[in-house]
Each structure stands twice: as structure tokens, then as C-alpha cells.
Amino acid sequence: MKIIYDDGHRRHAPPVELGPGSFIAHFETPDRADLVLKMTTEAGLGPVMKPEDFGIDPVLRVHDKGYFRFLEDAYRLWKDEGYEGPAIPFGSAFKRNPERHPTSINGLVCHYIIDGAAPIDDGTYEAALQAANVAMTGLDLILNKGESSAFSLCRPPGHHAGPDYCGGYCYLNNAAIAAQAALDHGLGKIAVLDIDYHHGNGTQEIFWERDDVFFLSIHGEPGVEYPYFTGYADETGEGKGEGFNVNYPLPHGTGFDVWGEKLDDALGKIAGYGPDLLIVSLGVDTFKEDPISEFKLDSPDYRIIGQRIAALNKKTLFIMEGGYAVDAIGTNVANLLSGFSESAQN
Ligand code: OKP
Ligand code: ZN
């Protein structure tokens, strides 16, 4: 399985995020991607190839132009204002009127960044756009170059980014951009399976009223887990999209016995939907030793997950999302992709 990677992701390395009671070291570090690259290639996956440039058009099919321009300009405007450190909001525009846009940089930061875990630093825009290109390059391999699967080693991740906002380490929704581009290419139906520990609120929102993208997510209960506002089981989509959104919220402490049952249920629903492409939002922060998460999956479990996904026998694009126990993150991704590759029928 080809791996798409470029070390330009290192340009995004904010020193801090807002933690409870104080600033803390940013968990979403460049060495995450380095470890995933090391362990997947050592496991015999690859070859590694660099992303191609697809420009900003596929991004603007998913994200609001005003938001995208903000992402591009924010750090410069923030520095011009004389601030030290990355741009982090001190307020929330949760009652914002989309017709009204603040004009000051602080106003914009509070308008477009929904929480304290998406600092915008020097290089954030460039790395986020590159991650979208990493996703697009993986898609291109499957659509146009005869590959049946690919691994887009995106960093920063994307599934918390909505149409016009960033949050939770995510700036551009790499999985959603790839899904929309696949439809624009002519595919009819896409399934997005989000197995990151956190609910993919951004992906859910982007495709909420759509029946051509079926979104399924297994994650920590939103009552006790980030992002705290979506991920409940009764969120099923609206309009044409009714029934094409499925959430599996699970309590802290959930192990592979219960998690695996939800995976099987999700895979059964995907098989019934019959997508032309499966996109996996691949987070491994479900690992028992992840520093910010509370599920109890173990390293060998990831191989089984890969095998079960392969049994669907669909073209599959893996998009890297979260996973923070840096020593194990590479092993867990490598196990999942190895399990998939060994079991894949083509
Ligand atoms: C991004 B992804 C740490 C709190 C972290 C933000 C979590 C973002 C997760 N003390 N809050 O889904 O892995
Ligand atoms: Zn996560």
C-alpha cells in the first residue's frame, strides 16, 4: 500500500494549546507523523511518495472561502498586532451570525477558531493545505492510477474542522475534501468510517444533509469527551441525509470486545450502503495508553480492525487523524494497515 507523506508537516508545530487551567504542551506534535512513517515502512508498507499539488479548488468545495482566507492570513495579522505565540481564541462566537464578520484579528480568531486546541502558528496554513494535498494524492492513486487502497499520512488531522471553522488540532477536513473530490470525479456513493477516539463533528456537519456520503463514527461519549457537543446516537442526519449519519458513542473504559461489536455493526451498514469508495478517518487514540483518551484497545487489536475492514472488499483510502501515545502510535497504525493489506483480496 502506497504511503503519501511529506515532511513539510513539520512547519506546523505550535508550542502550546489551552488545557484545563493552564497552557500545556501541544499534543499534536510533528514526531507523531515521523513515528507512523517509521513503523509503517519498517512493517513493509509503502513505497512512500510525495503529495502532488491539487490547488485550492478541492478545499473550497468543502470549506467556506472567508474561513479559508482567514486561515491563510491569520498568523500574519496576529503578528502585525504584536502578539507573541500562536493565535488562540479567548472568546467564543457560538452565537455568531454568519452574515456578520468581525474585522479585528481577535474578532476573527474568536469567530473562526472554536476552541483552544487549534492554535494557528507560523506554517499552520501551509501544513494544513499540504495535508489536504496528501489526502487528494491518495485519492488520485485510487481513482486514476489503479491502486485499490492508499494511506494518506495527513498531519495536521482534519475531522474536527467544519465548513467554516477549525478546532481540536484540525484546520482543513482532509477526509471530507477527498470524499467530495471523489464525488466530483464521478463516483456515486462514499462511506466515511471514523474510528478516531473523538467524534468527527466536522465531517458529520459537512455531509449532514447528504445521502451520497454515509458518515459513521465510533467515539467517546460526548457527555464526557471532546468535542462535547456532537456525537450522540440520535444524530442521524436531516433532509436527504436522514439515516446517512450513524454515531456509536461509547463510555470511558471501553475495550475491544464492545468496540469491535460496533465496528462490525458499522461495517455491516457500509456493506448494505454499497459505496464506490470507503474513506477511513484513521485515529489510533483508542489505544489503552493514549495520553488524552479513555478507551482500552491494545496493539494486536488494530491488526484485527484492518482485517475486518479489508473483508468489505472496497477501494479504501486511509486518512490519518489522531493518536498521541507516540511510542505506540506507529505500531498501531502499522498493525492496522498490515492487517488490511494481508487480508485484501486485490
Ligand atoms: C483531535 B483528534 C487534552 C485535551 C484535548 C482536544 C482533542 C482533539 C483531538 N488535554 N482536546 O480527534 O484526535
Ligand atoms: Zn482523536
Side-chain angles (χ1 to χ4, degrees):
M1 184 188 309
K2 289 197 167 120
I3 300 170
I4 305 93
Y5 171 85
D6 189 304
D7 59 15
H9 72 84
R10 291 208 187 86
R11 286 175 287 190
H12 172 66
V16 291
E17 64 184 74
L18 196 50
S22 62
F23 283 103
I24 56 176
H26 194 56
F27 271 101
E28 201 284 287
T29 53
D31 54 340
R32 298 176 57 251
D34 299 341
L35 276 160
V36 170
L37 183 69
K38 177 173 184 285
M39 297 307 282
T40 49
T41 50
E42 280 182 20
L45 294 150
V48 180
M49 55 173 289
K50 281 184 178 290
E52 287 171 35
D53 184 5
F54 290 82
I56 64 171
D57 289 353
V59 175
L60 293 178
R61 290 285 292 138
V62 162
H63 291 286
D64 169 76
K65 200 165 199 166
Y67 166 64
F68 185 73
R69 285 279 135 73
F70 161 77
L71 193 60
E72 186 176 8
D73 296 341
Y75 185 73
R76 179 178 50 78
L77 296 171
W78 182 258
K79 286 292 119 167
D80 287 352
E81 200 70 17
Y83 298 126
E84 295 298 320
I88 295 180
F90 61 79
S92 158
F94 74 102
K95 295 255 187 192
R96 70 182 174 173
N97 176 345
E99 304 303 314
R100 290 183 175 161
H101 291 91
T103 48
S104 73
I105 179 59
N106 261 307
L108 289 165
V109 163
C110 294
H111 186 83
Y112 286 121
I113 310 182
I114 63 167
D115 58 48
I120 296 181
D121 207 351
D122 199 9
T124 296
Y125 167 76
E126 288 77 9
L129 187 56
Q130 182 189 272
N133 276 312
V134 167
M136 286 296 298
T137 303
L139 177 69
D140 181 56
L141 288 174
I142 294 173
L143 295 183
N144 302 315
K145 312 224 162 108
E147 298 289 330
S148 54
S149 63
F151 174 40
S152 290
L153 212 179
C154 297
R155 180 180 175 274
H159 70 152
H160 298 305
D164 60 352
Y165 59 85
C166 53
Y169 311 155
C170 300
Y171 305 86
L172 297 175
N173 195 315
N174 307 310
I177 290 165
Q180 182 61 52
L183 294 172
D184 292 344
H185 179 83
L187 269 55
K189 288 190 282 182
I190 315 294
V192 179
L193 173 64
D194 190 324
I195 58 172
D196 184 278
Y197 173 74
H198 303 91
H199 180 238
N201 61 283
T203 318
Q204 169 170 302
E205 183 173 340
I206 289 163
F207 299 117
W208 184 244
E209 296 185 40
R210 299 266 296 269
D211 60 1
D212 49 359
V213 178
F214 183 20
F215 178 69
L216 309 93
S217 178
I218 309 170
H219 50 266
E221 295 179 329
V224 293
E225 199 50 78
Y226 184 91
Y228 303 114
F229 56 90
T230 53
Y232 293 93
D234 60 2
E235 297 161 12
T236 54
E238 269 181 78
K240 263 197 319 176
E242 175 63 51
F244 296 96
N245 195 93
V246 175
N247 285 325
Y248 300 91
L250 293 171
H252 284 178
T254 295
F256 188 61
D257 49 347
V258 170
W259 195 96
E261 286 172 15
K262 302 303 175 192
L263 176 68
D264 290 343
D265 191 83
L267 293 173
K269 287 185 163 69
I270 292 169
Y273 181 66
D276 303 305
L277 172 71
L278 172 64
I279 296 178
V280 179
S281 265
L282 171 53
V284 292
D285 40 8
T286 46
F287 182 54
K288 61 181 181 173
E289 282 161 29
D290 190 277
I292 67 169
S293 307
E294 302 290 341
F295 285 173
K296 300 290 168 222
L297 272 58
D298 207 348
S299 292
D301 299 331
Y302 292 93
R303 188 174 295 273
I304 299 168
I305 297 168
Q307 290 166 353
R308 291 191 192 170
I309 294 172
L312 271 180
N313 197 23
K314 297 286 177 195
K315 289 179 179 165
T316 305
L317 174 60
F318 292 94
I319 304 260
M320 191 73 216
E321 302 282 1
Y324 305 96
V326 285
D327 288 343
I329 175 176
T331 306
N332 295 341
V333 173
N335 285 357
L336 193 151
L337 297 179
S338 299
F340 178 91
S341 294
E342 290 155 8
S343 309
Q345 292 160 44
N346 47 13

